[in-house]
Amino acid sequence: MGLKGFVEGGIASIVAGASTHPLDLIKVRMQLHGEPHLPNPAYRPALAGSSTGYNMSLHVAPPPPPRVGPISIGARIVQAEGMAALFSGVSATVLRQTLYSTTRMGLYDILKRKWSHNSGSESGNNLPLTRKISAGLIAGGVGAAVGNPADVAMVRMQADGRLPKDQRRNYKSVIDAIARMSKQEGIGSLWRGSALTVNRAMIVTASQLASYDQAKEMILERGVLGDGIGTHVAASFAAGFVAAVASNPIDVIKTRVMSMKMEAGAPAPPYSGALDCAVKTVKAEGLMALYKGFIPTISRQGPFTVVLFVTLEQVRKLFKDL
């Protein structure tokens, strides 16, 4: 039963991750936009000048950088890098889901069943919410530690297109990314930002899986809907929203720390660690910078969570008699 939970969760996670990858890439680009040490593409062109003929160059402060949205960033990516760029790093996404999500989904299922055994519930239903959250925290932390190398590679491959051409890493695949990071920056680089990854994964898994189970149970207990796709979709949207709100600040910091270039002879990295990154980000860009990319995050978390749990429920039906 335990192994089946890993297989079911892995299949559902890979399908969900690959199908929503473009939204995740746009989210990463939005989270990196505004970093002072990197040039920021003009996603929305500003007016070049005034048509009045007056020289306004003196005593006029430069205009603030334009606000960017997921549509403008997505359009800019397609215009500058081609349609295929929306799937940059998809091989790393597949590997990440294989390692991280397979582990967290399977371990969560094992813990939920184990802790519900004494109550006589073999499926894990009606387990107290606090126990579900605890199972999610443990499962997410273990899964993140296993999948961190693929996570670093995925972030770098997604972010590569916004760098100047002479600074791009141009990884050919996730295997090439991991091999080059190990050779050029050391094995430790594969676990850069791992503390952030683990913290984020614990929050995402606890909020996402526990919220889904709780919402599904409430819908079924109150007789709002039957145990079908309608219930699965409704519970998934609730879980995706909770996970996005809880995890976005950590996700912003994680993305920026992981995308840093730290090679021998290269300039000093912009951040000394997660806390330094958080302080500098808030100081330079404001507190709401920690919610950069929230629209694509929720736009991605919603579909991702729906595809994840709807696929998971269907796979469970297929594997039910195995």
Side-chain angles (χ1 to χ4, degrees):
M1 290 298 295
L3 179 61
K4 194 163 74 168
F6 284 93
V7 175
E8 292 169 349
I11 293 173
S13 299
I14 291 170
V15 171
S19 61
T20 59
H21 181 81
L23 294 172
D24 195 47
L25 182 142
I26 291 172
K27 176 203 71 175
V28 167
R29 295 291 182 91
M30 286 190 72
Q31 290 173 339
L32 291 171
H33 187 76
E35 286 191 291
H37 63 281
L38 286 176
N40 290 293
Y43 292 111
R44 293 178 181 173
L47 294 176
S50 171
S51 60
T52 61
Y54 293 104
N55 185 353
M56 300 293 290
S57 60
L58 297 178
H59 311 298
V60 177
R67 294 173 63 89
V68 297
I71 295 177
S72 62
I73 285 188
R76 172 67 179 180
I77 291 171
V78 172
Q79 180 184 16
E81 305 169 45
M83 185 67 72
L86 292 175
F87 284 90
S88 297
V90 70
S91 61
T93 292
V94 171
L95 179 60
R96 176 178 180 268
Q97 297 298 337
T98 302
L99 297 175
Y100 159 62
S101 286
T102 299
T103 301
R104 73 177 183 125
M105 298 288 286
L107 186 55
Y108 176 79
D109 187 61
I110 289 176
L111 292 173
K112 191 173 68 169
R113 290 177 183 275
K114 181 178 178 62
W115 290 348
S116 63
H117 180 71
N118 293 336
S119 65
S121 173
E122 291 297 324
S123 64
N125 292 332
N126 301 318
L127 190 70
L129 179 59
T130 53
R131 284 296 187 93
K132 293 171 186 170
I133 292 174
S134 298
L137 291 172
I138 295 171
V142 174
V146 172
N148 201 81
D151 205 4
V152 177
M154 181 186 71
V155 168
R156 289 192 172 196
M157 292 174 75
Q158 290 176 331
D160 208 39
R162 75 181 292 271
L163 295 172
K165 289 186 177 181
D166 60 335
Q167 296 181 26
R168 293 179 185 175
R169 302 176 177 99
N170 296 316
Y171 296 131
K172 298 177 182 177
S173 67
V174 62
I175 302 301
D176 179 53
I178 291 175
R180 283 172 55 185
M181 278 190 287
S182 301
K183 182 178 180 180
Q184 297 171 0
E185 304 173 48
I187 295 294
S189 66
L190 299 179
W191 275 269
R192 180 173 301 140
S194 59
L196 286 167
T197 304
V198 169
N199 289 334
R200 177 189 178 275
M202 291 172 69
I203 292 173
V204 168
T205 304
S207 57
Q208 186 185 65
L209 301 188
S211 296
Y212 175 78
D213 282 344
Q214 195 71 17
K216 179 182 173 183
E217 288 174 15
M218 291 175 63
I219 292 172
L220 294 178
E221 287 174 359
R222 297 181 181 182
V224 178
L225 294 170
D227 190 4
I229 291 182
T231 296
H232 305 157
V233 171
S236 297
F237 269 116
F241 179 79
V242 173
V245 171
S247 66
N248 203 88
I250 294 179
D251 203 26
V252 171
I253 304 303
K254 177 182 76 74
T255 296
R256 294 190 172 195
V257 170
M258 283 185 169
S259 66
M260 292 190 305
K261 180 176 286 189
M262 297 179 65
E263 300 176 4
Y271 313 117
S272 61
L275 181 60
D276 182 56
C277 178
V279 171
K280 287 182 177 177
T281 297
V282 172
K283 185 177 180 180
E285 304 167 51
L287 186 62
M288 290 308 296
L290 297 178
Y291 274 91
K292 278 192 172 184
F294 180 75
I295 297 301
T297 293
I298 192 62
S299 299
R300 187 253 182 187
Q301 277 285 4
F304 174 87
T305 310
V306 169
V307 174
L308 172 66
F309 286 115
V310 169
T311 304
L312 179 63
E313 298 284 0
Q314 298 307 308
V315 172
R316 281 175 175 170
K317 290 181 180 179
L318 291 175
F319 288 3
K320 185 175 181 179
D321 298 326
L322 298 180

